[in-house]
Amino acid sequence: MGCKVLCGLGHQMLRRKVVDCSREESRLSRCLNTFDLVALGVGSTLGAGVYVLAGAVAREDAGPAIVISFLIAALASVLAGLCYGEFGARVPKTGSAYLYSYVTVGELWAFITGWNLILSYIIGTSSVARAWSATFDELIGKPIGEFSRKHMALNAPGVLAETPDIFAVIIILILTGLLTIGVKESAMVNKIFTCINVLVLGFIVVSGFVKGSIKNWQLTEESILNMSCNNTKLEKRGVGGFMPFGFSGVLSGAATCFYAFVGFDCIATTGEEVKNPQKAIPVGIVASLLICFIAYFGVSAALTLMMPYFCLDANSPLPDAFNHVGWGGAKYAVAVGSLCALSTSLLGSMFPMPRVIYAMAEDGLLFKSLAKINDRTKTPVIATLASGAIAAVMAFLFDLKDLVDLMSIGTLLAYSLVAACVLVLRYQPEQPNLVYQMARTTDELDQVDQNELVSTSDSQTGFLPKAEKLSLKSILTPKNVEPTKSSGLIVNISASLIVIFILTMCIVAVIGREALGNGELWAILVVTGMTLLSAMVMGVIWRQPESKTKLSFKVPFLPVLPILSIFVNIYLMMQLDQGTWIRFAVWMLIGFTIYFGYGLWHSEEADQARTPDGNLNQCK
């Protein structure tokens, strides 16, 4: 009896969402175009980090070779971006990685993904609002900070911030109001600030190439020792040249620079608010990542050309560099660009947060009242107000520096799951009436595609490829050219094994870094063994027949690219410290309390399963 209850609970937790592929008008306003998505992605990704990060990484890790660090980081981000692009074409609905996980790997994983995305967006919103407040305060001579310290000190070190940040609360409330007015209005404000930010960055890049000197990329070790620079110790200056800290420094810089490309995933939450989402979402993601890479590459090159890398100021490198070349007045342009970048980054964190909450509430995993849509503005008004209020309280009371790494866990976990979902879904048999269904609205298909979709649905519901008898030969050399249930199962198991192998390898590579550096046999054997096993299992996946479903965008080079993306994301997650993982465990405990106390029993999929034909979803 107990075993049956546990099995039933397991089935409930792993039930997958059936996406309705029939024509269904979205409850949200479908008014965004591709340019809106590109501006949203660029604004969210190209935040204030571009004004600070390049100087810090160039000085401490990579030197002028920071341009290569950004290239490596961009390529790693593109792996995740391509996976998001395919799912955006496959399931153009609100929910981003939460929905993609729900469709592919089940309800529990979907809840974990969505719950961590909410945390990432809340912390991101609060920390950026505090940064906006601090930047503005510094520009006007720090009167806000001095007033707060004098009259509003909290006196709770280690728990609360030194002072409450009223200005950050005001900024969040203003943007919350903007988001409730309508998505079109929010997108217009975002486009204005993003364009100003890009223009300022263009000015910085051109100025750097005009006033800079290639000699700063060709410094010798002797000239470095003879140069006077007040803010850098001699031992931290490297050996000069283009790559003063070696290739290891470039890789270390790339790991830091990877986080500069986080933010494009907000595009994936607009599935029900964009016209022609199957094409607009993939194009928006790839285009925004390309623009961000060009901006980061240009600014970092300009910085290291204007002044020696070891003299860059870690906190405000651009004003310092312009002073160095005699253009001190350019600091005002940098200040305007920085505030615009912070504004778009803040909007980029706040925009997807209520949409993920709305998607989870509509599915019954969070409280149903959060799924309420305003009839006039077509925005998730309760979810927007609730998320804005929580972020405002966090920004008011907490410093958040210790919580920022929690953002990384949520984002990297989402990236990993989306990559795994793409890997699994591409090798599943065609079943248009069941879980693995590409959601398409009939008004976006031409007549040929509509006829093809209907005929495919009719024919394949009863005539799926016949499964081969499971054997080593059928695994390595399958006869079917179309996926079957058995080939799909092989890929599911193989993908799970690869994640286990990569996780083991990354844990040893991070925790046993010293053992690997010392050449200890056990560490080398584990890493080598896990790498070989991963390669073998990847070969098994490669041999399986791939789905021939026509999509407007597909990830190329399967199964290599999704597996590489999973590896990069897990490796970066393992780099996070123990305190971050403890905080993550506390957050997940709160989430599981909500899921097992409410979501598991109010899930829409559970309601559909109780109806006689709830598991069917004919595309007619």
Side-chain angles (χ1 to χ4, degrees):
M1 184 67 182
C3 186
K4 281 186 178 181
V5 171
L6 286 175
C7 286
L9 189 63
H11 282 300
Q12 283 181 291
M13 289 189 294
L14 295 176
R15 59 193 167 206
R16 289 168 291 193
K17 182 177 175 66
V18 179
V19 177
D20 188 2
C21 59
S22 62
R23 181 172 182 174
E24 181 184 340
E25 290 298 326
S26 171
R27 293 173 64 198
L28 304 174
S29 176
R30 214 178 264 284
C31 60
L32 301 178
N33 56 34
T34 304
F35 181 63
D36 290 324
L37 295 195
V38 173
L40 184 64
V42 171
S44 180
T45 307
L46 204 61
V50 69
Y51 294 90
V52 179
L53 185 67
V57 174
R59 178 182 155 175
E60 302 290 340
D61 295 311
I66 184 177
V67 292
I68 299 177
S69 294
F70 272 118
L71 177 61
I72 295 169
L75 291 174
S77 300
V78 165
L79 296 176
L82 291 173
C83 295
Y84 270 85
E86 175 167 327
F87 258 111
R90 190 182 287 273
V91 191
K93 298 281 185 180
T94 293
S96 183
Y98 155 73
L99 177 65
Y100 306 159
S101 303
Y102 207 164
V103 167
T104 311
V105 291
E107 188 172 280
L108 181 63
W109 283 107
F111 181 86
I112 291 170
T113 306
W115 188 242
N116 282 290
L117 283 177
I118 291 169
L119 176 69
S120 299
Y121 293 138
I122 287 173
I123 295 173
T125 298
S126 305
S127 56
V128 172
R130 270 194 166 256
W132 205 108
S133 174
T135 304
F136 182 76
D137 191 28
E138 192 161 337
L139 285 174
I140 60 175
K142 301 185 178 178
I144 300 172
E146 288 176 8
F147 177 83
S148 297
R149 275 189 292 274
K150 188 175 180 181
H151 300 286
M152 303 172 66
L154 294 174
N155 297 319
V159 180
L160 301 177
E162 184 184 345
T163 59
D165 199 330
I166 297 173
F167 200 66
V169 172
I170 293 170
I171 298 161
I172 291 174
L173 294 179
I174 289 171
L175 287 182
T176 300
L178 176 65
L179 287 168
T180 56
I181 290 170
V183 66
K184 193 68 177 176
E185 292 77 8
S186 306
M188 179 57 68
V189 171
N190 180 69
K191 278 189 286 189
I192 292 169
F193 282 129
T194 299
C195 287
I196 295 171
N197 183 24
V198 171
L199 286 173
V200 170
L201 292 176
F203 163 74
I204 291 168
V205 172
V206 172
S207 302
F209 283 105
V210 170
K211 297 293 291 182
S213 170
I214 195 69
K215 290 179 181 177
N216 286 323
W217 284 16
Q218 300 169 341
L219 299 170
T220 62
E221 192 168 3
E222 186 180 349
S223 63
I224 288 174
L225 295 174
N226 293 331
M227 279 187 182
S228 61
C229 190
N230 296 326
N231 60 356
T232 313
K233 295 178 181 177
L234 286 175
E235 61 268 21
K236 288 196 175 182
R237 296 188 180 187
V239 296
F242 180 70
M243 209 177 283
F245 301 100
F247 193 66
S248 61
V250 173
L251 290 177
S252 175
T256 305
C257 292
F258 177 84
Y259 295 107
F261 292 93
V262 167
F264 67 85
D265 54 308
C266 68
I267 293 174
T269 63
T270 64
E272 292 182 43
E273 294 167 288
V274 62
K275 304 166 188 173
N276 196 8
Q278 284 91 350
K279 291 182 180 177
I281 290 177
V283 170
I285 289 172
V286 174
S288 61
L289 282 174
L290 179 62
I291 292 168
C292 291
F293 165 67
I294 292 169
Y296 282 124
F297 186 95
V299 169
S300 56
L303 262 177
T304 50
L305 286 170
M306 279 196 283
M307 70 186 296
Y309 64 89
F310 55 85
C311 289
L312 290 168
D313 189 292
N315 298 316
S316 55
L318 285 168
D320 200 40
F322 277 115
N323 280 329
H324 184 78
V325 297
W327 280 17
K331 67 181 180 182
Y332 297 108
V334 171
V336 170
S338 182
L339 284 177
C340 288
L342 282 164
S343 300
T344 57
S345 184
L346 184 56
L347 199 57
S349 291
M350 294 184 69
F351 184 87
M353 179 164 48
R355 280 145 185 85
V356 173
I357 293 172
Y358 158 75
M360 295 179 72
E362 192 176 44
D363 290 336
L365 303 190
L366 290 179
F367 308 110
K368 274 287 187 182
S369 57
L370 294 169
K372 181 177 172 57
I373 298 291
N374 185 288
D375 294 332
R376 186 177 61 83
T377 62
K378 301 290 185 184
T379 56
V381 62
I382 303 297
T384 303
L385 293 173
S387 58
I390 294 169
V393 170
M394 295 272 291
F396 183 72
L397 294 175
F398 299 104
D399 195 4
L400 300 170
K401 284 179 183 175
D402 293 334
L403 300 179
V404 167
D405 279 346
L406 269 180
M407 290 170 56
S408 304
I409 287 187
T411 304
L412 293 170
L413 180 65
Y415 286 2
S416 302
L417 273 171
V418 171
C421 290
V422 166
L423 184 64
V424 166
L425 206 51
R426 283 278 285 277
Y427 292 95
Q428 299 305 320
E430 295 293 339
Q431 293 180 325
N433 61 318
L434 292 174
V435 179
Y436 296 109
Q437 169 59 43
M438 181 185 70
R440 302 174 80 177
T441 51
T442 52
D443 55 331
E444 287 159 359
L445 297 169
D446 57 31
Q447 193 58 44
V448 174
D449 284 341
Q450 287 184 39
N451 293 337
E452 186 180 280
L453 187 63
V454 172
S455 63
T456 301
S457 174
D458 287 337
S459 62
Q460 288 183 337
T461 46
F463 299 98
L464 290 173
K466 188 178 179 181
E468 294 181 67
K469 189 177 179 182
L470 202 60
S471 65
L472 184 61
K473 184 179 179 182
S474 68
I475 291 173
L476 298 177
T477 56
K479 292 179 181 178
N480 287 317
V481 293
E482 294 283 343
T484 62
K485 284 186 178 180
S486 58
S487 69
L489 180 63
I490 289 167
V491 172
N492 289 346
I493 295 170
S494 300
S496 302
L497 288 173
I498 281 182
V499 170
I500 293 168
F501 295 153
I502 289 175
L503 187 61
T504 305
M505 179 170 57
C506 290
I507 289 172
V508 172
V510 173
I511 296 175
R513 189 183 289 115
E514 288 186 10
L516 280 171
N518 296 332
E520 293 185 22
L521 186 61
W522 71 268
I524 295 171
L525 283 176
V526 171
V527 171
T528 306
M530 293 299 108
T531 304
L532 290 174
L533 285 171
S534 297
M536 288 168 60
V537 176
M538 185 168 66
V540 170
I541 294 176
W542 176 67
R543 294 296 300 157
Q544 305 311 306
E546 192 179 325
S547 170
K548 302 296 190 295
T549 300
K550 290 182 180 179
L551 295 173
S552 58
F553 180 83
K554 281 187 175 184
V555 177
F557 308 118
L558 247 70
V560 177
L561 288 192
I563 291 172
L564 272 178
S565 180
I566 292 169
F567 168 72
V568 169
N569 298 325
I570 290 178
Y571 181 76
L572 290 172
M573 286 172 75
M574 292 302 108
Q575 298 273 24
L576 298 171
D577 60 38
Q578 185 180 357
T580 301
W581 284 102
I582 292 171
R583 295 183 196 100
F584 173 74
V586 171
W587 176 251
M588 286 313 307
L589 187 62
I590 297 168
F592 285 142
T593 303
I594 293 173
Y595 176 69
F596 288 108
Y598 180 88
L600 185 66
W601 315 107
H602 292 82
S603 169
E604 285 292 310
E605 294 307 306
D607 291 342
Q608 288 186 23
R610 292 187 196 107
T611 61
D613 58 346
N615 63 330
L616 297 176
N617 195 14
Q618 299 283 356
C619 293
K620 298 290 185 185

